[in-house]
């Protein structure tokens, strides 16, 4: 009766991977219980989690072919575009389909943008690619585009491209404050990404030590037209989630990332923690801190537990 916050399946967004050319789902070793899905196994998984009450999914593609620009990301027959169509055919408006919008899963070098002559991501040239991806995803039926590459001006560029193509109803969930954390490791296994030459994303993702700068990034994205903003990772940045909740009035999402999920599983596998209890405590804390929505690989487990 006196409980101040509670989890509900409506709070959850399930991140899912779909692999081109796969004829069976491939388990992801560092993300127990998660798979690189085939188109068919993705449909099945989404039917099950939708039945558990989870209203939304975010899709990541694992293409067969990569190139320096990541052109499979905007191919109308690219794996994510096909998966979006499948899910929209199955569920129509009963499922919110969010498309992660970035090129790192599709580029041969693993960066979130196209590289300039010196081998650094070229911010403005990358925006042109993001615009094409947004239109391809919206054409396939995405309800929400979620740009995750942290290029400056990406929200404005995508908003304009969507509007010009007649997709003014497609919303933008901006990965607004995305930190250059060490917690994305398992995700990069999940999408088969290694950054060329041992590189990193510190040139475009946020410094883990900075909250004020992160607030500026969030405000900029809202100014550029983001409908919802995301903070990522979640647990180590509850201070930022709480502050953003106090200072801003747009919906706030938090991404409980691959490393956060993997740590809990690894400890549970050793018998050191109780998996479900810790999953509820962590995701519950993210909500208590102020997130309206949580992207988490625990979505299925939590929705099941809530039943
Ligand atoms: C980039 C992207 C990443 C994640 C989501 N989108 C990885 C990165 O920036 O290296 C990480 C998600 C996770 O760790 O669960 N397109």
């Amino acid at each position: 009766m006196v409980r101040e916050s509670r989890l509900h399946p409506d709070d959850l967004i399930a991140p899912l991977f779909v692999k081109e050319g796969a004829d069976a789902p491939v388990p992801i070793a560092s993300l127990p219980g998660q798979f690189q899905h085939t188109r068919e196994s993705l449909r099945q998984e989404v039917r099950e989690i939708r039945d558990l009450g989870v209203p939304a999914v975010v899709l990541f593609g694992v293409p067969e072919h990569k190139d320096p620009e990541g052109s499979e990301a905007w191919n109308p027959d690219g794996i994510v575009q096909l998966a979006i169509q499948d899910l929209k055919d199955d569920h129509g408006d009963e499922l919110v389909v969010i498309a992660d919008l970035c090129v790192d899963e599709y580029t041969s070098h693993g960066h979130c943008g196209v590289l300039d002559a010196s081998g650094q991501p070229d911010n403005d040239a990358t925006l042109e690619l993001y615009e094409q991806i947004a239109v391809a995803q919206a054409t396939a039926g995405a309800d929400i585009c979620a740009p995750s590459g942290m290029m400056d001006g990406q929200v404005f560029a995508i908003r304009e491209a969507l509007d010009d193509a007649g997709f003014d109803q497609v919303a933008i969930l901006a990965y607004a404050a995305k930190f250059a954390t060490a917690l994305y490791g398992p995700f990069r296994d999940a999408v088969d990404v290694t950054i060329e030459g041992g590189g990193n994303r510190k040139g475009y993702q946020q410094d883990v030590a900075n909250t004020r700068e992160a607030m500026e990034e969030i405000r900029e994205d809202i100014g550029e037209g983001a409908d919802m903003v995301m903070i990522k990772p979640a647990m180590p940045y509850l201070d930022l989630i709480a502050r953003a909740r106090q200072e801003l009035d747009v919906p706030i999402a938090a991404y409980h990332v691959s490393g956060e999920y993997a740590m809990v599983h690894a400890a549970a596998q050793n018998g050191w923690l109780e998996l479900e209890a810790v999953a509820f405590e962590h995701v519950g804390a993210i909500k208590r801190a102020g997130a309206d929505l949580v992207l988490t690989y625990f979505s299925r487990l939590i929705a099941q537990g809530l039943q």
Side-chain angles (χ1 to χ4, degrees), residues 124-291:
D124 294 2
T126 300
L127 297 183
E128 291 172 26
L129 308 185
Y130 287 0
E131 291 168 14
Q132 297 184 62
I133 303 172
V135 173
Q137 293 175 337
T139 304
D143 300 295
I144 300 178
C145 290
S148 65
M150 290 297 281
M151 296 296 137
D152 292 336
Q154 63 184 12
V155 173
F156 185 78
I158 291 165
R159 182 71 273 158
E160 231 182 13
L162 288 170
D163 289 354
D164 288 349
F167 294 114
D168 52 304
Q169 295 299 312
V170 173
I172 296 179
L173 165 61
Y175 285 66
K178 178 174 176 183
F179 290 91
T181 172
L183 290 163
Y184 302 147
F187 175 91
R188 294 185 190 158
D189 293 344
V191 291
D192 301 335
V193 168
T194 8
I195 306 176
E196 200 172 57
N200 61 56
R201 305 204 197 293
K202 291 184 180 169
Y204 39 105
Q205 297 182 348
Q206 293 290 289
D207 184 336
V208 297
N210 291 359
T211 345
R212 295 192 303 257
E213 185 187 23
M215 285 302 299
E216 280 302 298
E217 287 280 343
I218 297 172
R219 288 203 174 89
E220 272 175 33
D221 280 1
I222 295 170
E224 289 180 28
D227 300 282
M228 297 161 248
V229 293
M230 190 204 297
I231 292 162
K232 174 186 178 183
M235 290 289 294
Y237 303 95
L238 295 182
D239 56 335
L240 180 61
I241 295 173
R243 180 166 167 191
R245 177 69 298 149
Q246 275 189 342
E247 296 182 22
L248 307 169
D249 290 316
V250 297
I252 294 173
Y255 199 142
H256 184 244
V257 302
S258 58
E260 299 179 86
Y261 175 87
M263 288 193 283
V264 180
H265 265 281
Q269 275 167 13
N270 275 303
W272 295 341
L273 289 176
E274 200 192 313
L275 184 76
E276 186 171 331
V278 177
F280 266 85
E281 188 174 332
H282 279 195
V283 177
I286 296 164
K287 185 166 180 200
R288 191 194 64 233

